[in-house]
Every structure is written in structure tokens, then in C-alpha cells.
Amino acid sequence: MGRVSAQPGPDSAQPAPEVAAGTAGALAMGRHTADDPREILVRPLAAESLLDAVRDLRRDVEATGFPLDLPGVERARSSRARLVDQLTEHLVPRLTELSAPAVVVVAGSTGAGKSTLVNSLVGHEVTTAGVLRPTTREPVLVHHPGDADLLAAHPLVGSARAVADDAVPRGIALLDAPDLDSVLDSNRESAHRLLEAADLWLFVTTAARYGDALPWRVLESAVERGASIAMVLNRVPADSLAAVRSDLLARLREHGLAGSPLFVVPDAGPHEGPLDAAVVAPVRRWLLMLAGPDRARTVIKRTLRGSFVSLRIWVDELAEAVQDQADAAQQAGDLLTDGTREPADRAARAVTDGVVAAGAVAVRWAELTSPTGALGAAVRRPASTTSGRPTKVRGSARGRADREAAVQPLRAEVAHAATTVLAAAADDAEHDLREALAAGPPGALAVLDRWATVPPGPDPAAEQAARAWTGQGVRAVRAALAEAVPDKSLARRREKAVKVLGDETLATVALTGAAGVADAVDLLTGLLGPAAPRIVAELRDDLAERARARVEQVRAQAAEPLTDPDLAADAAARLRLRLAVIKGLT
């Protein structure tokens, strides 16, 4: 079995001679102490205030969503998830307990030898290693027993199996992570999430797989985050050691990792259990040196600084993505508002043009006012109401109930016709708005995708509006009748009309006139005088407004996705405000 070769970069930790000679027992002597934990930050500050600011940011980031499926939204969602992991797994725990040991995550692809390396560094098996893949199913956190209290509140303790071992130096904790390329989705997700918890990445690869694309993508993300990184090149055949190491060093330089320590472990051939202590001695000495108070603080400080630098970039990008959502929502909202005007105008014109009176309403009115109809027998109309001659009311109060019963079908027809017109207005508006969204920008298309199709059938909103309108007819007639009338003749005529016909029947006549039957307006004028045209006009305008309102309801249904708080105009400002507070503290 050949010796291990350590190839550190210019900024790497060089093992001191006296440390390099240490054994597994000496590893336990290292102890991390932080005289002033605030030295870890960029400049001295109230650590608790920074922790509160980071927690506030995490809360807002966690609550941030991207409701609209705009181009690039999946990338934004992925960045948001990664930012949450970074805040939850690294920054919040680190700021909560600044004296906690540095977390060294041992990561790599399937079969790279991560678990074997961890077991070899400790000197005995603490995590499962073997030939079956995927091997590492459960993360294992190995730490010195004296650091247990400092790690107690760390989220890693809840998501990994914690193992206390005297062979691990105080001041560091080794985390054996699942395979980055595991066939199991849960393993891959866990591995990437746990990497966010690292103060230092110890990346393990092999001579056969160091050129794979996945490890380099992961390492690039680590560089973006500003994490401290070291690499172990495992299972290197002796005859290709120089060439592989040279090529790997070149790749490290290309990816901005020229200063990262590189440890080369020769191929040990088939074996079981930990590697020989001499093979991993340089890595153990390096870890022991990292566990020293000054070096550990340096590593933590470097990674924490990098985390805050990347945090600013990520939050800015996230805020931009949120702003894109808000801008798209504003565009879609404006499009819906503009697209509502014409359908609303058409709906109101349909009412004022007398569409409600077409068909069944006109037929029913003609039947009731025929010589044999209920109203024809009770009312004798003059040849021309425009002459100003009043309508004489015939009949008696005893027949009023019969007449009211006979008029009820007309009232029902008016209500049904009004419902039909209001429902048609809604259908017309929906058609126009869907077409407008379909022809609009990506944000409009995203709103259209979330606008549920209304199943065919009755329109409850139109029915409710029509019932409310017919009820308004009675209130309008009663209000007019309550007004004082100076003309005693007109007052008597009104009194007689109410006694013979009743205010319900008079309201039905008024509604019929508002629906568009001119004869109904004439009749009501003959009965109630000058107040009649005003009543009819008010009812007609009321129904026209209800038609507009029904169109507006359709617009509101289409715009329902736009009510999401994440689409508010100031949604991005909340994130930028949190970031500004953190910038001020660091």
C-alpha cells in the first residue's frame, strides 16, 4: 500500500511537523475555542441582532412563492430552495452557536469511498461502507463527546445519526453525506441539502471519476457560496498518479479552486474495513490542525464571509425574480382591466336597449293587459297617456289578491329574462378576457392557465343579482308612494291604485317598464303620475349597473391568482429590506 500524497494549494493548511507525527490519540487533543465569537463576522457587531436579521430573512424567503409560471421560474424556485437550505442549515445554526465545531461535510459520488475515508480517519467503523450501492443511506455526524452540547441545537443532529467519538478532535465534526448521484431521489436531495450546512467541504472523488460533470457542478456552486473546500483523490493507480494529479490540479485552477488542498490516496486494491492509518495520516494531521482555535476560526470566518457575500447575490437575484412576477401580474391585471370595458359597455347597452323585454316578457305582458287579462279588466287606459289624461282604476280591493297572483308569472318572467341577460354578459366577458389573456405576454398566459373553466349550467351569481333587482322594484315603488304629493287628485289616484292593485303589482309593472316594455311605463305613469318615469329609469340604470358588476365579477375571477401576496408590487421590497439590514450589520 503506497503512501498518501498531499498536494495543497497556495492557501491550504500546511501540517506542522509536530502535528504530522501525531496518532489517533493525538487527534483528540485538538480543541476549538473562540475567545470572541464575533470575530468570525466581517466586523464586530451585535451577534444577536445579526441572527435576528438572518432569521427574519429566512422567514420571508420561506414564505416567498412564484405563483406565475413565467420563463425561468423553475430556476428561481430552485434558487429559493437552496437559499432556504443555506439559511436553515448553515447561517442560522452557525450564528446561533458561534462556538460550535466546524462542520466538515465529506461528500462525493457513488463509490468514491467517503464512508471508508471517515472510518479510516476515526480509526474504526462509525459509518457503513461496502460494495453495495447506494451505500450511504443515512447521514452520519461524527464529533468529539465534548462538543455534544454545542451541537445539540444544530439541525444536523435531527437529520443525521450523531456519533460521539474521542478520535475526532474537538472543534470539528465530520459529516458523512449520502451520494450526490444516488439512484434514490431522497439521498440526492439530502446530500445537496447537507452540503449547505458545511463550514468546509471535503470532496472525495476517484481517479476513474474525477472528470464527471456532476462533481464539478457541485463544486462550482460551492465556489459561488464561498465555502472552504478540500479534495481527496482516492484510489489512484501508481502508474497514473502523476498524470491524474496534474490534470486534476489544472481543473481545480480552471474552477477557481487553485487554493484548495488536494490529498491523493493511492489505490489500495480490494479490502475491507478502514484504510491503513499511514494512508490517511496527512488528512488526519490537516484536520487536527483545523481543529486548533485559530485555524478553525479562520475556516469558519472564511466560509461565513463567503456565505454573506453569496447571500447578497442570491437575495438580489431572488428579489429580481419576485419583481418579475409582480411586473407580470401588473401587466396581466392591466390587460384584464382594459379587456373588461367593452364587455361591460355591451352588457349595459343590452339592458338600456330593452333586451330584457324581448320574448316571453312581452308576450306575458300582452296577455295580462288584453281585455280578458288581469290588468285589462282592472285598468282602462286612455288612448294616449302622453295627453296627460290619468288612468282610471277599475276593480275592487277584494280582487287585489287575485290580480297579484295573476301578475306573479310576469314578475317571474322578468326575473328570468334579467338572469339570462346577466348570465350572457358574464359569458361574453369570459370569452373576451380569455382571448385577451391568450394573446398577451407570458404573465397573462400564466393567469389564463390558473383560471378555472366554469362548468356549463345555471349562473348562481346572475340569479342572485336578478332576484336582488326585482326586490329593488318593490322598494322603489314604496319609496315613491311615500313621497308627499301636492296634487290631491293625483294623491287620490295613487291611493286607489294601491288599494286595487297593491304595491307588488305596481312594482311588477315598473320592472316590466324597466325591462323595455314602453306600454308598462305609460300605464305606471297614468297610475302614479310623474314619479313613474323616474322609478323606471332608476330600475333600468340599476339593472345596467348589475350587468356591469357581473362582468366585473368575471374579471375578478380571472384575476384571482393576482391577489397572491407574492405578486404584490412591494413583494420584492420586503426581501431587499431584509438584505439591507444584514448589509448594515456585516
Side-chain angles (χ1 to χ4, degrees), residues 105 107 177 180 190-198 201 203 218 225:
V105 174
L180 290 170
S190 175
H192 286 277
R193 181 177 59 81
L194 292 174
L195 282 172
E196 299 299 338
W201 290 16
F203 204 89
V218 175
R225 198 195 106 177

Side-chain angles (χ1 to χ4, degrees), residues 360-373 376 381 410 517 519:
V361 172
V363 171
R364 185 72 66 177
W365 173 259
E367 292 175 352
L368 287 171
T369 55
S370 68
T372 58
R381 292 172 296 167
L410 172 61
V517 177
D519 286 349

